[in-house]
Amino acid sequence: MILIADSGSTNAAWYLINPGGESIRFETEGYNPYYVNQDYIVQSLKKNLPANIHPTRIREVHFYGAGCMLDKTPVMENALQVVFPEAKVHAAIDLLAAARALLGRRPGFAAILGTGTNTCVYDGDKIVHNIDSLGYMLGDEGSGTYIGKKLLQEYLRDFMPAPVRDKFREYVGLTFDEIMDRVYNQSLSNRFCAGFAEFAGEHIRIPYLYGIVKSAFIDFFGNLVSQYPHYQQYRFNCLGSVGYYFKDILEEVTYQFKMPLGKIIQSPMEGLALYHTG
């Protein structure tokens, strides 16, 4: 049995491929080894595995995750080995999952627009060029966290138009001090900020919010995508909930930067299952 995971910083989707029986899909929280340690991952996974999955029967685990850079891969692989002791465990950055799901074994350009952001040129097997997104503190332009941070900035500085501010105040349900505490003193503040991108999605017909999202995508293309040599020769292929739900705005910005539009998908699972079993 082969277990595949696609993990962002917020949620992780899992797919158990069982050749002799029913395949199983389930979800857990996301595991980013930059923000959570090995013990946390082990305890959370053991708690959240479905009862009909028997860890000792798993023979392969392919975990693709946000934050699984070379220096953090051992944290993830060691945690997975504890939970699935009989399996061959492989952990890699979620960007490789995006490339394999979007392009299979064909070369091209792949991006992630979810809680975080990432981009790459892929040769059909591995990533050959990546401009670091720098994470949510310094970069991640276009991501859910980036959009959410902008909304919080506008709200806390009282820059929002009054009708939007009133809706946002009700949506947030926190005081100034409580927001600052969540951002600066509590863990997983990237998830907290990213959650507010949903507000923009719910009210995207409001020109002000449309402009916030479009500006985030322009920053994404200006600071990341367009920095790849000859980027306009590639099709723009993208994975992730932010790119998927704001597809119309993303397509508009892609056209603005004269890059042909390729696939825009929300989940990589079908492509990954094909990649690992084909």
Side-chain angles (χ1 to χ4, degrees), residues 68-143:
C68 285
M69 311 296 187
L70 287 178
D71 62 327
K72 290 295 184 180
T73 298
V75 174
M76 199 69 237
E77 289 185 337
N78 291 340
L80 292 168
Q81 200 69 71
V82 172
V83 180
F84 306 103
E86 304 300 320
K88 292 182 179 178
V89 171
H90 307 275
I93 189 170
D94 57 347
L95 186 58
L96 185 59
R100 288 175 172 176
L102 288 162
L103 296 161
R105 300 186 188 278
R106 295 177 291 107
F109 183 90
I112 293 174
L113 280 172
T115 299
T117 297
N118 218 332
T119 54
C120 74
V121 174
Y122 170 71
D123 70 357
D125 175 53
K126 60 186 182 297
I127 294 167
V128 293
H129 189 186
N130 166 243
I131 297 174
D132 201 311
S133 69
L134 302 181
Y136 77 100
M137 291 292 288
L138 298 177
D140 271 358
E141 293 92 333
S143 69

Side-chain angles (χ1 to χ4, degrees), residues 3-268:
L3 184 60
I4 301 172
D6 169 53
S7 177
S9 294
T10 305
N11 301 304
W14 299 76
Y15 185 34
L16 177 66
I17 302 172
N18 183 7
E22 183 180 1
S23 295
I24 300 171
R25 295 175 184 265
F26 64 97
E27 291 188 356
T28 67
E29 67 175 298
Y31 303 113
N32 185 326
Y34 274 94
Y35 307 136
V36 294
N37 60 30
Q38 180 178 326
D39 289 341
Y40 181 95
I41 296 166
V42 170
Q43 295 307 314
S44 176
L45 263 180
K46 286 183 175 180
K47 179 181 178 181
N48 291 290
L49 279 180
N52 57 346
I53 289 183
H54 304 285
T56 57
R57 297 182 184 176
I58 307 299
R59 292 296 174 260
E60 292 181 34
V61 178
H62 298 278
F63 184 95
Y64 298 94
C68 285
M69 311 296 187
L70 287 178
D71 62 327
K72 290 295 184 180
T73 298
V75 174
M76 199 69 237
E77 289 185 337
N78 291 340
L80 292 168
Q81 200 69 71
V82 172
V83 180
F84 306 103
E86 304 300 320
K88 292 182 179 178
V89 171
H90 307 275
I93 189 170
D94 57 347
L95 186 58
L96 185 59
R100 288 175 172 176
L102 288 162
L103 296 161
R105 300 186 188 278
R106 295 177 291 107
F109 183 90
I112 293 174
L113 280 172
T115 299
T117 297
N118 218 332
T119 54
C120 74
V121 174
Y122 170 71
D123 70 357
D125 175 53
K126 60 186 182 297
I127 294 167
V128 293
H129 189 186
N130 166 243
I131 297 174
D132 201 311
S133 69
L134 302 181
Y136 77 100
M137 291 292 288
L138 298 177
D140 271 358
E141 293 92 333
S143 69
T145 301
Y146 192 82
I147 294 168
K149 282 170 59 178
K150 183 63 176 177
L151 289 171
L152 287 172
Q153 289 170 2
E154 297 272 302
Y155 174 66
L156 294 175
R157 290 172 173 165
D158 202 21
F159 291 164
M160 280 183 172
V164 180
R165 183 183 65 241
D166 293 342
K167 290 178 183 293
F168 194 70
R169 181 186 297 113
E170 183 177 351
Y171 186 89
V172 173
L174 298 171
T175 67
F176 179 98
D177 289 340
E178 288 170 336
I179 292 171
M180 298 296 280
D181 179 62
R182 288 292 301 273
V183 170
Y184 288 105
N185 298 325
Q186 297 190 32
S187 61
L188 304 176
S189 58
N190 61 322
R191 292 187 196 176
F192 172 73
C193 293
F196 297 111
E198 295 180 10
F199 175 83
E202 291 175 9
H203 303 282
I204 198 60
R205 292 174 181 262
I206 298 174
Y208 166 80
L209 294 173
Y210 189 99
I212 291 285
V213 175
K214 184 175 180 179
S215 177
F217 288 162
I218 289 173
D219 290 346
F220 169 64
F221 269 81
N223 295 338
L224 288 169
V225 178
S226 66
Q227 300 305 311
Y228 286 88
H230 314 296
Y231 77 96
Q232 293 169 333
Q233 296 179 5
Y234 298 103
R235 289 190 174 276
F236 179 78
N237 301 288
C238 181
L239 166 75
S241 57
V242 172
Y244 183 80
Y245 286 112
F246 295 118
K247 180 180 178 180
D248 290 345
I249 306 176
L250 184 59
E251 184 173 359
E252 184 179 334
V253 176
T254 303
Y255 179 80
Q256 180 177 331
F257 279 82
K258 297 180 173 59
M259 189 175 187
L261 188 67
K263 287 184 180 179
I264 307 293
I265 62 175
Q266 184 177 8
S267 168

